[in-house]
Amino acid sequence: MPELPEVETTCCGIRPFIEDQRITKITVRNYKLRWPIPTNIADILTGQQIHTVKRRAKYLLFQCDTGTLIIHLGMSGSLRILDSTDNVEKHDHVDIVVDNGYVLRFTDPRRFGAILWTEQPIDQYKLLRHLGPEPLSIDFDADYLSQQSQSRKTSIKTFIMDGRIVVGVGNIYANEALFLAGIHPKTLTGKMSLNQCEKLVSAIKNVLTKAIAAGGTTLKDFRKSDGKPGYFAQQLHVYGRKEKPCSICGTVIQHYQASQRATYFCPNCQRHK
DNA sequence: ACATTGACCTGGGAGC
DNA sequence: TGCTCCCAGGTCAATG
């Protein structure tokens, strides 16, 4: 589910309640996520202080005294701040209680999420080591995208969803960014002009920034840390709009499957070049 | 080295 | 009402 804007929204939402707090209790109700939660996680973390709460790609990173707690929301995960551990529901897998009394609760129906622990420097950790630049950083620009795209042989949509190229762009925002840039999703990366790369980089930064401002996109499961949905779904131009008219030109939005991912585009606004 | 596919899970909606 | 099938925001690991 959550792409960069949803993870960023979560990060900013929980930070004021969690940063600088000490962990007083951890309850794990189900250890089986994408990878098993370390069985000794409560022993390791109880009593440790959380110094910072940060986001890298779609990972949430909690820098503690002796290492980093890593949380990924997978497809259906969310983290909420609660003021008690009451009303535990079916998919509420983990509670982290801190000494101001608040509870950070991890909920994830599909259990594609992950909760891990490492004592390594975080950028050397296996899952983060090969990640590309943050899309909202100055390192992600048209020259970079153009340079990376030359040697590769795949579609531009697959390319911008590859975390080794740029992080945080999932299926929703890949569709939206290509629409905003006027680029057909099947365009081969090697055929991208520098001008197209410029348009695409701006479109990615633009759509992610606006989605963060709206609190992310809630299609189904995503909840902000206060339990409310994000409102960016109202601003989607193509994602999920199969057979509806394009909001710009009225042409019917087309749809196809590409490596098991739904792809949506306007055949008029996004012509093959 | 790169590109593609399968796998991991649950729940909701469509269609019969 | 109930069953079956298909689909969903991610991404690693295995395969070609």
Side-chain angles (χ1 to χ4, degrees), chain A residues 43 57 68 85 95 98 134 144 156 177 193-194 202 229 243 247 264:
Chain A
D43 294 337
T68 309
T85 56
D95 283 350
V98 290
E134 287 288 326
Y144 168 80
I156 190 62
S193 66
L194 187 57
S202 317
E243 279 157 39
S247 51
Y264 303 87

Side-chain angles (χ1 to χ4, degrees), chain A residues 140 180-181 196-208:
Chain A
F140 182 61
L180 293 173
Q196 284 181 308
C197 288
E198 273 161 14
K199 283 184 176 163
L200 185 52
V201 166
S202 317
I204 289 170
K205 289 177 191 278
N206 204 339
V207 71
L208 294 178

Side-chain angles (χ1 to χ4, degrees), chain A residues 61-64 66-70 116-120 122:
Chain A
L61 306 172
F62 301 77
Q63 181 60 54
C64 301
T66 67
T68 309
L69 176 70
I70 300 159
L116 299 165
W117 170 254
T118 184
E119 295 178 1
Q120 278 185 289
I122 195 62

Side-chain angles (χ1 to χ4, degrees), chain A residues 205-224:
Chain A
K205 289 177 191 278
N206 204 339
V207 71
L208 294 178
T209 303
K210 286 185 174 152
I212 292 168
T217 300
T218 296
L219 295 178
K220 185 176 155 47
D221 300 296
F222 177 65
R223 288 295 176 273
K224 297 189 291 173

Side-chain angles (χ1 to χ4, degrees), chain A residues 113-133:
Chain A
I115 298 184
L116 299 165
W117 170 254
T118 184
E119 295 178 1
Q120 278 185 289
I122 195 62
D123 19 328
Q124 286 171 37
Y125 183 68
K126 190 182 170 198
L127 296 176
L128 304 193
R129 204 183 328 171
H130 298 112
L131 294 176

Side-chain angles (χ1 to χ4, degrees), chain A residues 51-270:
Chain A
H51 298 285
T52 60
V53 179
K54 293 197 284 195
R55 179 191 60 74
R56 167 74 174 116
K58 295 170 191 165
Y59 295 95
L60 287 160
L61 306 172
F62 301 77
Q63 181 60 54
C64 301
D65 294 336
T66 67
T68 309
L69 176 70
I70 300 159
I71 300 185
H72 195 289
L73 301 176
M75 288 279 264
S76 60
S78 59
L79 279 172
R80 285 169 298 154
I81 296 288
L82 306 172
D83 54 17
S84 80
T85 56
D86 292 351
N87 300 317
V88 173
E89 300 195 65
K90 192 172 175 186
H91 305 294
D92 295 340
H93 306 310
V94 178
D95 283 350
I96 298 174
V97 186
V98 290
D99 62 2
N100 59 15
Y102 284 107
V103 183
L104 181 66
R105 176 168 290 174
F106 176 81
T107 304
D108 185 8
R110 292 179 69 183
R111 290 190 280 115
F112 285 178
I115 298 184
L116 299 165
W117 170 254
T118 184
E119 295 178 1
Q120 278 185 289
I122 195 62
D123 19 328
Q124 286 171 37
Y125 183 68
K126 190 182 170 198
L127 296 176
L128 304 193
R129 204 183 328 171
H130 298 112
L131 294 176
E134 287 288 326
L136 297 178
S137 73
I138 53 164
D139 295 339
F140 182 61
D141 62 16
D143 285 336
Y144 168 80
L145 192 68
S146 177
Q147 205 161 11
Q148 292 293 313
S149 63
Q150 293 313 310
S151 57
R152 305 290 286 297
K153 209 160 110 184
T154 188
S155 71
I156 190 62
K157 182 176 180 237
T158 303
F159 191 66
I160 59 172
M161 290 178 69
D162 183 341
R164 292 166 302 184
I165 303 303
V166 60
V167 301
V169 182
N171 200 33
I172 295 178
Y173 300 112
N175 278 291
E176 294 299 308
L178 287 164
F179 172 80
L180 293 173
I183 296 168
H184 194 291
K186 280 185 178 166
T187 305
L188 294 175
T189 53
K191 301 235 169 188
M192 291 279 291
S193 66
L194 187 57
N195 184 42
Q196 284 181 308
C197 288
E198 273 161 14
K199 283 184 176 163
L200 185 52
V201 166
S202 317
I204 289 170
K205 289 177 191 278
N206 204 339
V207 71
L208 294 178
T209 303
K210 286 185 174 152
I212 292 168
T217 300
T218 296
L219 295 178
K220 185 176 155 47
D221 300 296
F222 177 65
R223 288 295 176 273
K224 297 189 291 173
S225 58
D226 59 7
K228 295 176 182 161
Y231 294 110
F232 195 71
Q234 297 165 14
Q235 297 179 54
L236 297 176
H237 287 99
V238 287
Y239 183 86
R241 301 195 67 247
K242 176 167 67 158
E243 279 157 39
K244 293 189 174 159
C246 171
S247 51
I248 303 297
C249 74
T251 305
V252 175
I253 300 298
Q254 301 289 301
H255 166 268
Y256 66 93
Q257 291 286 130
S259 52
Q260 300 147 347
R261 302 310 267 232
T263 304
Y264 303 87
F265 68 103
C266 170
N268 182 46
C269 296
Q270 296 166 269

